[in-house]
Amino acid sequence: MKKTRSVLLSMQLYEYKVLEDYLSLMANKGWIFKGFGKYGKNILKFVKEEPMSIQYRVDYVDGAWKTKESEELLAYRTFVEQYGYEFIAGNLQFDVYQQLSEQYPIRENTKEDQIYLRKAVVHGLYVPLLLVLVGLMQVFTNYQKMIVMDFSENVSIMMLCSWGFLTICYAITCFRIIAWLCHIRHQPTLRNVLFYSTCDNALVCLVISSFLLFVSIKATLAFLFVVCSVMLYRSLLFANLEHSLKQSKVWLNLGLWALCCVLLGAGIVSSKEYVSKERHEVISFGSNESVAIIYRESLFAIQGYYSVNGQTYEVNVIKPSILQERIASRIREENQITSTTGTVVTQKKELRDGVGKTKTVYDVSVASDTFLLSSRYQQQPTPLQEETLQEMVPQLDAYFLR
Amino acid sequence: MPKKQLDTLTEPMYYTLLALLTPRCGIEISEFVLELTQGRVRLVPGTLYTMLSKFESEGMIQEMSVDGRKRTYEITDKGTAMLREEYQRLTTMILEGKKWLAQSEGQI
């Protein structure tokens, strides 16, 4: 079986000349371009054969024919083939031909071609821009609410990281395109494209990993480790192509890989410690009342359970460092709590489930300056005694504030 | 917005229409023009295909036959009229230019 290789290379439409150089360079090393990935338009597939000199020509595909394999596109490819070209493969961006005769180029970079390219490249920025803006708006409008309602460290970090990384991704792409439009960099070179492509891919990986944070920190680290290993392998391949370790960023990738190894190791070691941060404590007060607190500390809040009179309440404590008056007042407002000394409010609510059935639930809330106890019951709970509250609230306040 | 009609012909357009007075396919058009202009005008496939599509949608040329996906085109009456009009325009320009250039040369 022949050796094959897939290379992930993302390019802008105007960088089509660089793709020609890259494919010819690969052919010189014996890697013959066979087509694009079935599911990834940026994946180039190569097969190992005898090294040979092949002249590739890349044509960018007109926007109107972008429906893959449309009759018009096939007719255009046949049209080009009459001029001494052999069509090899195409994706939604580029068509790759092997040049058999040198009489006619496919395009002559006329003014119309340049205008078309500029339009296509700039139009390509609109959808990602929309995505980035919507995401950032979501983060900024919901972030505080998210902290209050969810209290989940992972979700908050995930949201921030994902949209932050997406914004960086977009900024880099914009920078490249503006540089091209302003003629700062007339002719994109293979080196630049490889570098930017690596940046793009790395950032996409970071976005994925920030989503993985939602699942687990260890999973994220493992994913980053795999990505860095692949990047290191890729840079070694490029080093083989360019005969230069420095140009292929091997040292940079090796550094990233090592950093990932350290992080992954640290993650595995600290995971034990993380579990031990879960505390079980019992505070006793009054005659026969006791509060069992099991809590996990996260970035913004302490989550836990509190049980009294055989009933379990969920405890959400906002850390004093980020406890802002308006958040506290919103909690009280939403839960219709008027007193800050720990009034119990039991609200009867009718909830409709997915199939339209209605069920009655009881939401119980107790709030003070430092904590909010909330719980939901199917049946009406036994109310907390006033004396219990009087004793409990200051003790919990002191406990959470220490 | 209605599509803009072709008012005047560019140099490649003029030669393409001229080539299609006889039915020709893509490469034949390019070769004819290259030979006619002694290598001055080179019609490359990327540009020519767009031009032919535009001409066809304007009804200035029509498809004669399709061999596989290879298409042969021929000029229509509308295209011929446009070509003649352009020819007239160019002739007038040359005559006028000739007259005035001759005069200015005489003055010198």
Side-chain angles (χ1 to χ4, degrees):
Chain A
M1 210 173 126
K2 279 185 176 174
K3 265 171 83 177
T4 58
R5 178 191 286 183
S6 297
V7 176
L8 183 65
L9 197 62
S10 56
M11 278 188 179
Q12 291 293 329
L13 204 59
Y14 62 87
E15 290 165 340
Y16 65 100
K17 285 271 171 206
V18 174
L19 186 58
E20 292 174 359
D21 297 346
Y22 180 65
L23 296 180
S24 298
L25 191 69
M26 290 293 273
N28 284 335
K29 300 277 170 187
W31 290 102
I32 312 298
F33 176 67
K34 291 294 170 194
F36 292 98
K38 200 174 173 188
Y39 300 106
K41 65 172 184 154
N42 292 331
I43 296 173
L44 312 173
K45 293 197 169 290
F46 297 92
V47 171
K48 183 79 183 161
E49 286 174 21
E50 283 299 306
M52 58 181 98
S53 173
I54 298 178
Q55 198 60 52
Y56 289 98
R57 284 289 167 253
V58 175
D59 189 20
Y60 44 88
V61 184
D62 194 302
W65 308 330
K66 268 188 181 170
T67 353
K68 211 180 173 191
E69 308 302 314
S70 72
E71 195 54 39
E72 198 60 30
L73 186 56
L74 295 177
Y76 175 68
R77 284 171 184 165
T78 316
F79 190 84
V80 175
E81 280 188 324
Q82 292 171 28
Y83 287 80
Y85 291 93
E86 192 189 332
F87 174 73
I88 301 173
N91 63 6
L92 293 178
Q93 252 184 323
F94 303 117
D95 271 353
V96 179
Y97 297 89
Q98 183 179 345
Q99 190 172 29
L100 306 171
S101 116
E102 287 204 6
Q103 199 174 11
Y104 293 95
I106 300 178
R107 290 182 191 267
E108 274 195 319
N109 204 16
T110 56
K111 208 176 164 190
E112 286 81 20
D113 288 341
Q114 285 171 14
I115 291 171
Y116 167 74
L117 261 183
R118 279 181 199 179
K119 270 189 185 171
V121 168
V122 173
H123 286 182
L125 286 175
Y126 294 158
V127 176
L129 176 66
L130 205 69
L131 195 75
V132 166
L133 287 182
V134 168
L136 286 178
M137 264 170 60
Q138 280 275 337
V139 170
F140 286 117
T141 52
N142 291 336
Y143 194 63
Q144 280 201 329
K145 196 178 169 192
M146 203 166 68
I147 295 171
V148 176
M149 302 308 288
D150 199 347
F151 295 100
S152 164
E153 175 191 19
N154 290 343
V155 173
S156 324
I157 293 182
M158 178 201 77
M159 290 280 280
L160 269 189
C161 291
S162 329
W163 295 111
F165 285 139
L166 268 182
T167 313
I168 297 171
C169 259
Y170 189 73
I172 289 184
T173 312
C174 285
F175 167 74
R176 288 164 70 185
I177 290 171
I178 290 167
W180 173 67
L181 286 174
C182 300
H183 299 279
I184 295 170
R185 192 159 47 88
H186 275 280
Q187 205 60 44
T189 61
L190 182 58
R191 231 180 108 183
N192 284 336
V193 170
L194 288 180
F195 175 69
Y196 280 122
S197 174
T198 312
C199 282
D200 278 358
N201 296 333
L203 282 166
V204 169
C205 289
L206 283 175
V207 172
I208 296 171
S209 59
S210 64
F211 274 101
L212 270 176
L213 269 177
F214 183 59
V215 183
S216 133
I217 290 173
K218 266 193 286 178
T220 313
L221 286 170
F223 173 76
L224 280 177
F225 174 75
V226 173
V227 168
C228 281
S229 308
V230 171
M231 275 167 64
L232 181 63
Y233 171 69
R234 263 190 58 182
S235 63
L236 285 169
L237 291 181
F238 286 138
N240 183 33
L241 268 180
E242 297 197 5
H243 299 292
S244 159
L245 286 178
K246 203 178 163 191
Q247 276 185 12
S248 323
K249 314 273 181 298
V250 169
W251 301 121
L252 177 76
N253 282 310
L254 192 66
L256 280 175
W257 183 76
L259 182 72
C260 243
C261 284
V262 172
L263 283 177
L264 186 64
I268 292 168
V269 172
S270 68
S271 62
K272 281 178 189 165
E273 206 174 305
Y274 187 75
V275 173
S276 71
K277 268 189 180 173
E278 210 173 73
R279 287 201 220 156
H280 299 248
E281 287 189 36
V282 177
I283 309 174
S284 299
F285 52 89
S287 48
N288 54 357
E289 304 285 4
S290 67
V291 179
I293 293 170
I294 304 162
Y295 83 79
R296 272 178 109 171
E297 198 171 328
S298 74
L299 196 63
F300 304 109
I302 298 165
Q303 283 177 297
Y305 298 94
Y306 147 91
S307 64
V308 64
N309 290 344
Q311 281 175 5
T312 307
Y313 293 84
E314 199 183 315
V315 190
N316 285 322
V317 184
I318 304 169
K319 284 187 183 174
S321 58
I322 62 149
L323 179 70
Q324 291 165 16
E325 189 45 46
R326 58 199 181 110
I327 299 178
S329 62
R330 199 161 71 197
I331 296 168
R332 291 195 195 98
E333 205 177 292
E334 279 174 8
N335 291 286
Q336 295 177 11
I337 297 168
T338 48
S339 159
T340 56
T341 54
T343 310
V344 179
V345 175
T346 307
Q347 283 178 287
K348 190 177 172 184
K349 283 183 182 171
E350 299 286 323
L351 290 184
R352 198 180 280 269
D353 64 12
V355 288
K357 274 187 178 175
T358 324
K359 61 175 181 180
T360 312
V361 293
Y362 297 88
D363 280 347
V364 180
S365 319
V366 187
S368 84
D369 284 336
T370 57
F371 69 88
L372 170 80
L373 307 185
S374 57
S375 202
R376 177 167 286 183
Y377 298 93
Q378 305 285 345
Q379 290 169 345
Q380 186 151 20
T382 326
L384 281 171
Q385 298 298 314
E386 191 60 34
E387 308 88 72
T388 312
L389 272 175
Q390 292 291 331
E391 278 189 67
M392 186 186 91
V393 171
Q395 284 203 35
L396 282 179
D397 272 345
Y399 179 81
F400 291 125
L401 276 172
R402 69 183 173 173
Chain B
M1 211 174 82
K3 214 172 175 183
K4 204 187 155 203
Q5 292 277 319
L6 292 170
D7 296 329
T8 52
L9 298 175
T10 60
E11 196 179 30
M13 283 175 172
Y14 178 78
Y15 283 113
T16 307
L17 285 182
L18 210 58
L20 288 178
L21 287 168
T22 314
R24 285 190 167 95
C25 69
I27 181 76
E28 288 167 353
I29 299 171
S30 295
E31 278 174 351
F32 172 81
V33 173
L34 198 70
E35 198 184 325
L36 185 72
T37 61
Q38 293 169 344
R40 189 170 54 83
V41 178
R42 188 167 62 164
L43 295 172
V44 298
T47 320
L48 184 60
Y49 191 84
T50 321
M51 204 195 301
L52 289 176
S53 306
K54 203 170 175 183
F55 278 154
E56 205 181 357
S57 64
E58 296 275 342
M60 290 164 69
I61 60 167
Q62 62 188 15
E63 215 174 86
M64 283 292 291
S65 62
V66 182
D67 173 20
R69 282 201 196 90
K70 190 172 163 183
R71 297 170 185 180
T72 309
Y73 300 91
E74 189 189 35
I75 197 165
T76 60
D77 291 345
K78 189 183 169 187
T80 317
M82 184 103 189
L83 183 65
R84 285 194 184 284
E85 202 179 291
E86 185 66 16
Y87 172 75
Q88 278 303 327
R89 197 177 70 86
L90 290 172
T91 317
T92 315
M93 278 167 70
I94 288 166
L95 287 175
E96 286 165 357
K98 201 173 180 181
K99 188 175 150 193
W100 284 100
L101 276 172
Q103 272 188 16
S104 66
E105 268 169 20
Q107 279 172 5
I108 294 162

